[in-house]
Amino acid sequence: MDLHAYFIFLTTTIIVCMSPGPAVITIASQGARHGAKNALFGVTGVASANVVYFLLSATGIASLIIASNLLFSVIKWVGVLYLLYLGLNAIFSKSGGLSVNKNTSSNANGIARFSQGFVVELANPKALLYFLALLPQFINIEQPVVLQLLIMGSSCLVVDLLSYSMYAYIGQKLSSGSVKSSIVNLINKSAGGFLLFAGLKMASVSANV
């Protein structure tokens, strides 16, 4: 994997992680109810679920890459369409926007918050579909595959921890009235726009990235 391919992978991962969804709503709600620091248990739960999905998706990656061009094209265009769907959903759908329900019931202990984050993310196969669609396009079979997967897996873990921690902080600020709804709306629209860009960029990726 060269630096250009890694940059595309990392940028796309950051955008997808920051795109509003069930896990974002959960972590922001935990931040609003318990504070950003206590919501880190939930952040760790979400990140752990994504590690599980990454490991599942990474199994057999090399054989998937060297399969037929038709199979690769199908995988690529599924990924493109999925990113475009996420982008349009974030821009136009009210359900795709970030919102915080401070009345949502939640246990106060760390194990419960971790479990909530883990279950919510594991129940949403977005990460599995994302990794299945994306990983094969950024693996160079002429270089050590395991090392490349370790680099991408570690990068995804760091991005997860940082991005969801940010949403925990935003949730805390939303509960105190420090962040205006217009700012939250701007985050949604920006995330949607970047997802559309990432989808169009992915369309140009070839099997020999």
Side-chain angles (χ1 to χ4, degrees):
M1 173 186 285
D2 60 30
L3 289 178
H4 178 68
Y6 175 74
F7 176 75
I8 296 176
F9 170 81
L10 183 62
T11 302
T12 306
T13 300
I14 292 173
I15 293 169
V16 170
C17 283
M18 296 185 68
S19 177
V24 166
I25 304 302
T26 298
I27 298 304
S29 297
Q30 288 187 5
R33 289 181 60 83
H34 307 293
K37 183 177 180 180
N38 290 322
L40 292 179
F41 289 100
V43 171
T44 306
V46 172
S48 298
N50 282 332
V51 168
V52 172
Y53 272 144
F54 185 93
L55 292 176
L56 290 175
S57 304
T59 304
I61 287 297
S63 61
L64 183 61
I65 297 173
I66 61 178
S68 68
N69 289 330
L70 175 61
L71 179 58
F72 180 86
S73 296
V74 170
I75 293 172
K76 181 178 84 169
W77 287 107
V78 166
V80 170
L81 293 175
Y82 184 65
L83 288 177
L84 294 178
Y85 164 77
L86 287 178
L88 293 173
N89 187 60
I91 293 175
F92 296 110
S93 174
K94 294 182 179 179
S95 61
L98 172 64
S99 62
V100 175
N101 182 3
K102 290 188 263 187
N103 296 320
T104 301
S105 59
S106 174
N107 294 324
N109 65 79
I111 295 178
R113 288 194 294 275
F114 174 90
S115 299
Q116 184 183 37
F118 184 84
V119 171
V120 166
E121 184 66 0
L122 202 65
N124 179 18
K126 178 182 75 173
L128 180 60
L129 178 59
Y130 172 72
F131 289 136
L132 282 173
L134 198 70
L135 287 183
Q137 302 177 51
F138 290 95
I139 296 293
N140 187 339
I141 58 176
E142 296 180 355
Q143 298 177 5
V145 173
V146 174
L147 178 59
Q148 294 176 75
L149 290 173
L150 285 175
I151 292 174
M152 289 192 289
S154 300
S155 299
C156 289
L157 179 59
V158 171
V159 170
D160 275 344
L161 293 173
L162 291 178
S163 60
Y164 286 108
S165 294
M166 180 196 73
Y167 274 113
Y169 179 75
I170 290 176
Q172 177 178 294
K173 290 298 182 181
L174 283 173
S175 66
S176 64
S178 300
V179 177
K180 296 181 179 179
S181 59
S182 59
I183 300 299
V184 178
N185 184 59
L186 178 61
I187 293 175
N188 290 331
K189 303 303 182 187
S190 298
F194 282 125
L195 282 170
L196 293 178
F197 173 79
L200 295 175
K201 188 71 175 179
M202 184 186 295
S204 65
V205 175
S206 61
N208 59 355
V209 171

